[in-house]
Amino acid sequence: MAETAKILNPTKTVLIPSNKAGCSLAESITADDVRALKAKFPGVPVVTYVNTYADVKAESDICCTSGNAAAVVESLKADTIIFLPDEYLARNVAKETGKHIIFPTPLLSPHFRNSQQDANENNDKRKWGDERGE
């Protein structure tokens, strides 16, 4: 989030309490992942949650917060959306909007893994789920 704060406020000082501070959700998706998804699903818009790194946001079509995620997805003219990286928010957005949402599966989600080592070991096994809102 500090990275985004600095991009949005380049003249302001952004304080980070620890250089080791991080976000497992942000670390769960990379710009390479986004490019791969765009290649796999050409023309499908990519929505990323604000808790992602700048390089991921740069590969995305639009960013959202948990408070405006459904409205952002609704604003897109597509029936299918790639939503990253939060599976739970993606499933809720699918239910709220009725859109077909492509999202990371629990293998990728930080809520389901035990450590960064688990994530690295499973990096090549990533799978993507989808949810059709009803």
Side-chain angles (χ1 to χ4, degrees), residues 21-56:
C23 174
S24 60
L25 190 60
E27 291 167 2
S28 72
I29 192 80
T30 68
D32 286 340
D33 294 330
V34 179
R35 286 188 290 273
L37 280 165
K38 289 168 85 173
K40 184 173 181 176
F41 302 101
V44 175
V46 177
V47 177
T48 54
Y49 183 54
V50 70
N51 285 5
T52 54
Y53 293 120
D55 59 343
V56 169

Side-chain angles (χ1 to χ4, degrees), residues 10 26-27 32 45 78 83 129-131 133:
E27 291 167 2
D32 286 340
F83 191 98
D130 63 60
E131 179 92 11

Side-chain angles (χ1 to χ4, degrees), residues 1-2 15-24 27 53:
M1 295 302 296
L15 302 175
I16 301 173
S18 169
N19 286 335
K20 295 178 184 176
C23 174
S24 60
E27 291 167 2
Y53 293 120

Side-chain angles (χ1 to χ4, degrees), residues 35-110:
R35 286 188 290 273
L37 280 165
K38 289 168 85 173
K40 184 173 181 176
F41 302 101
V44 175
V46 177
V47 177
T48 54
Y49 183 54
V50 70
N51 285 5
T52 54
Y53 293 120
D55 59 343
V56 169
K57 289 180 180 93
E59 295 293 335
S60 304
D61 294 295
I62 192 166
C63 294
C64 69
T65 66
S66 55
N68 71 3
V72 167
V73 167
E74 289 265 340
S75 76
L76 301 171
K77 303 290 184 232
D79 292 327
T80 299
I81 308 291
I82 298 168
F83 191 98
L84 305 169
D86 190 318
E87 175 193 2
Y88 296 109
L89 186 54
R91 286 185 186 277
N92 286 333
V93 167
K95 287 179 181 132
E96 287 182 42
T97 64
K99 299 220 181 193
H100 178 214
I101 307 290
I102 299 165
F103 57 86
T105 64
L107 179 64
L108 183 61
S109 173

